[in-house]
Amino acid sequence: MENLHEAVGKLFDVVFWVNVNPDGNVREVQEILVRQLNLKADEQNNDQRAEMISEELKNKRYVLFFDGVSSEINLEEVGICEEHEARKVVFACRDRNICWQTDVDINIRRLSDEDAGKLFWKIVGVHLKENRNIKPIARLIINECGGMPNMVKIIGASLKNVNDPAIWRSFLSQLRSPSGEQRQELEDFYRVFKLECDKLGDEKKLCLLYWAVFRAGYEVPRDYIIECWRAEQFLVGLQTLGEARDRGHAILDELVKKALLEKGSKWAHYKMYQHFQRAALRIANCRENRVRILVKEREKIREEEWESADRISLISSCQLIFPESPKCCRILALFVQECSLAEFPSSFFSYMNGLQLLDLHDTNIKSLPSSISSLVNLNVLFLNRCSQLTHLPVEIGGLQRLEILDLCHSGFHSLPAQIGQLTNLKCLRVSFIENFENHNHVDSGPKEMIATNIIARLQSLEELSIYVNPASRRWIQNAESIAEEIATLEELRTLSFYFPSVDCLQTFVNKSKSWNGNDTLWRGNSFRSFSIDVGYQRRSSPPVKLIDSKCKCTAEKHLRFSAGEGFPDAVAKILEEACALELIGNNVVNISCLSTADKLGGLEACVIEECGEMTSIIDGDLAGGPAFQQLNELHLLSLPKLVHIWNGPIDSKSLTMLTTLTLKGCHCLKALVSEAMALRLNQLQFLQVEDCRVIEEIFETGIIVESGAFPKLKNLQLINLPRLSNICSEVTPLDWPSLETIMIRACEELRNFPSTFSNAARLRKIKCTERWWNNLAWANDNVRNHLEGVKEFLS
């Protein structure tokens, strides 16, 4: 279902994913739909919400995924109606009998004994398979896995390359030993999880069991979970946030490799298999010498539970009635997020002087009580996505242990002055509300977004992220003075900032103590990561999303340069360090000058958009060396004079790592790939060409392309190309060994399509219109029969 969810995004207007709670609560399902549809429904009852949802969706194509269904959900009560003709509903459940009538049933079975064995030996090492002392024990261990892939992966990883039969026997004995707990469903999972958990060191074990504070199936952002670990002092001996993040990355990577965690559907998100998550909560609450975790989703918290719990999780909780002043001196972390909470009792925090982490993100909180001054040990405070929160109490300035403060996407028009008192702050993230309609509109709110000498007082800052609308006049007037204060921060290692002009950027580059530091750990300067925007130009199309679950680009260093002429020195210096570049509205003819100065070699992703004079991206005769040696993604959008992607000779190191290439709105391009380019694109997996009016062929006429070209290409999309008549020469048909999916739309002249792709053995789907399909020229019936079975007509 996750694979399907990932594949259908472009076919629907809206895609919903709902992790269903055991009781199938209609209100909770509505909450997810309302939030994604941006509906204002806080005061509405379930019936009113259902009407709003139904009305919003009636003319949309949408698909709704339900995961973990354990009881029937009344779709009509949610707002999903039979009258919605362009809807699809997909659900996963353990018991077929509890679900409603479906069009298609897919029964997902456990692995067969044979397949479980193949997977096991692939992980353990096939060289051990015929060891006569290990083989009989392995057979028993595989049987213990019960055909469940997760258990096979976990156990296999634990025994990888282990050739001592005694260790195998001991492992089997531990696996079969009683847990000491009352037997529950999937007790085998609990035993395996506990066995693997006990093998971890204290640090990793604490990090793993921390997943117990989240509900089953909850996807957790990478940076967020690392900040939680740091707040609770799991990552010991690390002085800086950068060191903590690197250590956290390594721990997450190891836990994924051990199959104790898995990567989520979003980029840089992680989740725990739901039965393991329940096991983590059980283990955490059974340990006598550690803290107790209380997770509530629907039940009210009794007063004695407030007093005894060390961590309380109320994520998406429906019933939030707080006591006036709970006696919870032991509490270390409180999660109250993604709910309708509007206020706390005035003395609520009075006895929470040990609290280290407070997460209130995505709530309707309007203010914080003065008792927040009691949180003298608070390390992390999340107030992001609190749209009703417009100010902070003066007492916030007394939280001298606070290291991380997130105010993004909340209701602030300016940075509260008391933030300047938080001299131990290491990470500040903030965004500002702006009311404007155009450039000439006078912005409402305080004159200055950030008053003088607030940022300059925060000399411990290592990470600073300020998000603004680039059309804000207040920001344009305030940005240079803020940039000068940021330049005084010696410890700064991460920066997200919008510089309205090149001059503003130049001031920062010249004066910044951190940018010009001599930290030998980082190449060139002391910055660990950055997201720097320079200049502003309204785009005619939505920005390209560089980071997704399939992209290898880390984009820890991202430069967006809009408008302008050429590449001023300050921009060139930033580009030397960048992993991702977005070049928008520039007047350059090509960017070969950057290749000559070796400023493109480290790029992993590049977007070039609305550069009206650009005729080629790189001119090989001017480049004087390789370019784009590390590039994974290249997106070329609205380049009306582009004739070549790469003109002239190409260095053997250039483009060899490119996996994604998209072109859209390039109306002078007649052929996409030259012979020299074809020899370099051995890693290309995704190719999209759209709305290019004069393109006639993918490969230039006359070039000889080896049959093994494009060995990794999986997905090809050709859309609205009215003159496209040829993919490649018919002299040497390509094998297309990896091609799985093709989309053809509005390419009426491309009639020799069947013979071009007759050798594509792994082709699984051809998306096209019925009219186009009926006009194709078929070489023979064998080709037609082969391709008929994989066609899918577009509406």
Side-chain angles (χ1 to χ4, degrees):
M1 191 164 74
E2 288 180 348
N3 289 337
L4 181 61
H5 174 263
E6 195 171 289
V8 302
K10 295 182 180 180
L11 303 180
F12 293 89
D13 299 320
V14 189
V15 178
F16 301 101
W17 183 284
V18 180
N19 292 308
V20 183
N21 287 316
D23 59 2
N25 186 286
V26 167
R27 182 79 173 188
E28 294 180 4
V29 176
Q30 288 180 333
E31 285 281 357
I32 295 172
L33 272 60
V34 162
R35 189 180 301 121
Q36 190 165 337
L37 292 171
N38 293 319
L39 300 177
K40 303 297 183 182
D42 292 342
E43 306 299 325
Q44 309 296 322
N45 60 36
N46 288 5
D47 291 339
Q48 292 169 328
R49 285 185 170 210
E51 291 180 7
M52 293 177 67
I53 292 170
S54 179
E55 182 66 20
E56 183 70 15
L57 292 176
K58 69 178 183 181
N59 295 319
K60 286 185 168 63
R61 298 174 302 166
Y62 67 93
V63 58
L64 181 61
F65 292 90
F66 286 111
D67 191 19
V69 177
S70 56
S71 60
E72 186 167 348
I73 300 172
N74 190 317
L75 295 179
E76 294 283 343
E77 291 181 3
V78 171
I80 307 301
C81 303
E82 290 287 348
E83 292 77 17
H84 298 169
E85 296 182 357
R87 69 162 189 171
K88 299 290 182 184
V89 180
V90 184
F91 59 87
C93 61
R94 292 178 56 78
D95 185 353
R96 175 65 186 87
N97 295 325
I98 56 93
C99 291
W100 50 90
Q101 186 64 38
T102 59
D103 297 319
V104 179
D105 289 346
I106 302 175
N107 185 22
I108 306 299
R109 301 180 182 275
R110 294 186 179 188
L111 296 177
S112 66
D113 292 343
E114 180 181 359
D115 287 337
K118 288 180 179 178
L119 177 60
F120 181 80
W121 289 114
K122 179 181 178 181
I123 296 169
V124 170
V126 293
H127 61 286
L128 296 173
K129 186 175 181 180
E130 299 306 321
N131 186 313
R132 63 181 183 180
N133 296 316
I134 288 177
K135 191 173 182 177
I137 310 170
R139 189 181 303 114
L140 298 174
I141 289 176
I142 293 171
N143 290 339
E144 286 288 324
C145 294
M148 293 181 283
N150 276 53
M151 289 190 69
V152 175
K153 288 164 67 177
I154 290 170
I155 293 173
S158 297
L159 294 170
K160 184 176 182 179
N161 295 324
V162 175
N163 57 13
D164 186 348
I167 296 177
W168 284 71
R169 288 193 298 269
S170 175
F171 193 96
L172 178 62
S173 177
Q174 292 178 66
L175 200 60
R176 287 178 162 180
S177 65
S179 66
E181 301 289 337
Q182 183 179 356
R183 186 164 183 83
Q184 302 174 4
E185 183 187 21
L186 295 175
E187 187 71 14
D188 290 342
F189 270 96
Y190 173 78
R191 291 208 308 271
V192 170
F193 180 83
K194 188 175 186 305
L195 179 62
E196 290 304 306
C197 186
D198 289 341
K199 291 180 180 179
L200 299 172
D202 288 342
E203 180 187 60
K204 294 172 187 173
K205 189 171 186 177
L206 287 171
C207 292
L208 178 66
L209 293 181
Y210 205 77
W211 243 263
V213 304
F214 307 109
R215 65 175 184 267
Y218 193 79
E219 292 195 6
V220 184
R222 178 188 62 201
D223 287 343
Y224 170 80
I225 191 64
I226 294 172
E227 289 168 3
C228 291
W229 292 343
R230 180 176 174 84
E232 302 228 33
Q233 302 174 50
F234 292 171
L235 308 175
V236 296
L238 304 176
Q239 297 299 315
T240 70
L241 279 179
E243 291 173 334
R245 293 199 190 282
D246 289 344
R247 180 62 182 146
H249 284 207
I251 291 173
L252 287 167
D253 184 63
E254 182 174 344
L255 295 177
V256 168
K257 287 179 178 177
K258 290 181 178 293
L260 296 169
L261 294 178
E262 55 186 318
K263 293 185 177 180
S265 58
K266 301 176 184 177
W267 183 82
H269 281 59
Y270 295 81
K271 65 180 180 178
M272 181 180 282
Y273 186 61
Q274 60 182 352
H275 297 295
F276 285 177
Q277 201 155 357
R278 297 187 182 103
L281 180 59
R282 180 173 161 189
I283 293 170
N285 284 341
C286 284
R287 300 180 71 190
E288 296 179 359
N289 62 335
R290 294 305 304 170
V291 297
R292 181 170 176 265
I293 298 174
L294 181 66
V295 179
K296 295 280 188 177
E297 294 183 11
R298 285 164 297 280
E299 318 93 316
K300 294 181 181 179
I301 305 179
R302 300 188 305 273
E303 187 170 344
E304 58 270 23
E305 290 180 312
W306 280 105
E307 297 176 5
S308 62
D310 292 327
R311 293 184 179 90
I312 297 179
S313 175
L314 305 173
I315 300 175
S316 303
S317 182
C318 299
Q319 301 185 36
L320 288 177
I321 301 176
F322 291 148
E324 181 66 31
S325 184
K327 307 297 189 296
C328 45
C329 299
R330 292 179 51 187
I331 190 168
L332 298 174
L334 176 60
F335 298 84
V336 185
Q337 61 195 60
E338 299 178 13
C339 62
S340 58
L341 174 71
E343 63 179 354
F344 287 102
S346 60
S347 58
F348 179 75
F349 295 110
S350 296
Y351 293 94
M352 299 188 188
N353 60 308
L355 194 70
Q356 297 174 334
L357 183 151
L358 177 60
D359 187 349
L360 303 178
H361 92 259
D362 206 1
T363 63
N364 291 330
I365 193 78
K366 295 180 180 178
S367 63
L368 296 174
S370 59
S371 61
I372 198 169
S373 62
S374 300
L375 306 182
V376 293
N377 286 297
L378 193 67
N379 293 323
V380 174
L381 176 57
F382 295 110
L383 295 172
N384 45 314
R385 304 190 69 84
C386 298
S387 59
Q388 304 300 311
L389 186 65
T390 59
H391 66 280
L392 296 177
V394 294
E395 290 81 3
I396 204 81
L399 305 183
Q400 291 301 302
R401 295 285 297 273
L402 197 64
E403 290 190 348
I404 298 175
L405 175 61
D406 193 336
L407 303 175
C408 282
H409 306 297
S410 292
F412 296 95
H413 287 83
S414 62
L415 189 66
Q418 54 269 47
I419 299 301
Q421 302 173 40
L422 303 175
T423 55
N424 196 48
L425 204 62
K426 293 182 181 294
C427 173
L428 173 62
R429 296 189 288 265
V430 64
S431 60
F432 300 106
I433 296 293
E434 287 296 321
N435 298 320
F436 69 96
E437 295 178 358
N438 55 53
H439 289 290
N440 297 320
H441 187 85
V442 178
D443 297 327
S444 64
K447 184 177 180 181
E448 292 182 319
M449 287 182 173
I450 302 178
T452 303
N453 205 34
I454 291 182
I455 298 297
R457 295 171 64 187
L458 304 178
Q459 286 297 313
S460 295
L461 271 184
E462 299 175 23
E463 302 179 0
L464 176 61
S465 299
I466 302 176
Y467 303 103
V468 299
N469 192 298
S472 168
R473 289 180 59 192
R474 283 201 302 148
W475 180 255
I476 293 172
Q477 294 166 0
N478 203 193
E480 187 155 358
S481 63
I482 296 171
E484 289 186 0
E485 290 194 29
I486 294 173
T488 69
L489 303 177
E490 296 188 38
E491 303 300 323
L492 195 66
R493 297 295 180 268
T494 293
L495 177 65
S496 293
F497 195 81
Y498 166 58
F499 295 90
S501 66
V502 173
D503 289 343
C504 185
L505 174 66
Q506 188 71 59
T507 298
F508 170 77
V509 171
N510 289 343
K511 295 183 178 181
S512 174
K513 294 180 179 180
S514 51
W515 181 265
N516 297 305
N518 296 315
D519 191 334
T520 57
L521 181 61
W522 315 113
R523 180 177 63 88
N525 62 49
S526 299
F527 267 53
R528 180 180 185 274
S529 63
F530 58 77
S531 179
I532 290 176
D533 289 11
V534 186
Y536 171 63
Q537 178 167 323
R538 292 185 182 274
R539 284 172 150 169
S540 59
S541 58
V544 173
K545 184 179 180 183
L546 285 178
I547 304 301
D548 60 31
S549 59
K550 296 180 180 178
C551 178
K552 296 180 181 179
C553 175
T554 61
E556 284 190 330
K557 298 183 177 183
H558 188 156
L559 169 64
R560 181 183 292 110
F561 182 35
S562 302
E565 298 182 2
F567 297 93
D569 289 343
V571 173
K573 285 186 178 180
I574 302 295
L575 188 55
E576 285 180 2
E577 310 295 331
C579 297
L581 167 67
E582 291 183 65
L583 181 65
I584 305 166
N586 203 288
N587 66 352
V588 293
V589 176
N590 58 61
I591 58 174
S592 301
C593 61
L594 298 176
S595 174
T596 303
D598 194 26
K599 298 186 187 304
L600 300 176
L603 286 183
E604 298 175 25
C606 181
V607 177
I608 301 177
E609 181 176 357
E610 297 182 359
C611 296
E613 300 302 316
M614 186 168 285
T615 58
S616 62
I617 307 303
I618 299 290
D619 187 325
D621 293 323
L622 301 176
F628 295 144
Q629 300 97 303
Q630 301 296 319
L631 196 68
N632 296 145
E633 293 190 22
L634 178 60
H635 304 274
L636 308 176
L637 311 173
S638 301
L639 306 178
K641 294 186 178 180
L642 188 73
V643 179
H644 305 282
I645 296 177
W646 196 300
N647 186 35
I650 303 180
D651 189 277
S652 60
K653 297 179 182 179
S654 298
L655 297 177
T656 56
M657 306 219 18
L658 193 68
T659 61
T660 299
L661 174 60
T662 66
L663 291 91
K664 184 175 181 180
C666 301
H667 299 307
C668 281
L669 193 70
K670 290 188 176 181
L672 181 69
V673 180
S674 65
E675 184 171 9
M677 275 189 68
L679 296 174
R680 305 287 177 265
L681 299 179
N682 288 333
Q683 298 299 317
L684 191 68
Q685 298 179 24
F686 178 86
L687 174 61
Q688 180 188 57
V689 187
E690 180 176 356
D691 192 26
C692 296
R693 281 183 235 147
V694 303
I695 193 167
E696 298 174 354
E697 53 195 358
I698 301 300
F699 297 103
E700 289 181 349
T701 300
I703 71 171
I704 300 174
V705 182
E706 297 179 4
S707 61
F710 294 103
K712 300 288 183 67
L713 187 67
K714 294 181 179 180
N715 191 321
L716 173 65
Q717 297 184 8
L718 305 173
I719 303 168
N720 192 24
L721 308 175
R723 295 191 184 180
L724 181 69
S725 60
N726 195 29
I727 302 292
C728 61
S729 170
E730 299 301 321
V731 176
T732 308
L734 299 187
D735 291 336
W736 309 103
S738 301
L739 192 62
E740 297 176 356
T741 304
I742 299 174
M743 175 185 283
I744 309 288
R745 186 193 287 271
C747 300
E748 302 303 325
E749 297 299 315
L750 186 62
R751 297 197 178 105
N752 64 352
F753 171 88
S755 56
T756 302
F757 296 100
S758 59
N759 294 336
R762 298 186 64 181
L763 191 60
R764 297 292 177 264
K765 186 175 295 185
I766 302 171
K767 301 177 184 179
C768 61
T769 62
E770 185 174 7
R771 176 184 172 184
W772 176 81
W773 183 265
N774 291 334
N775 288 330
L776 291 177
W778 296 97
N780 56 64
D781 289 340
N782 290 335
V783 174
R784 182 163 194 156
N785 292 336
H786 169 60
L787 298 182
E788 277 278 359
V790 296
K791 74 177 186 300
E792 179 182 301
F793 290 143
L794 298 168
S795 57

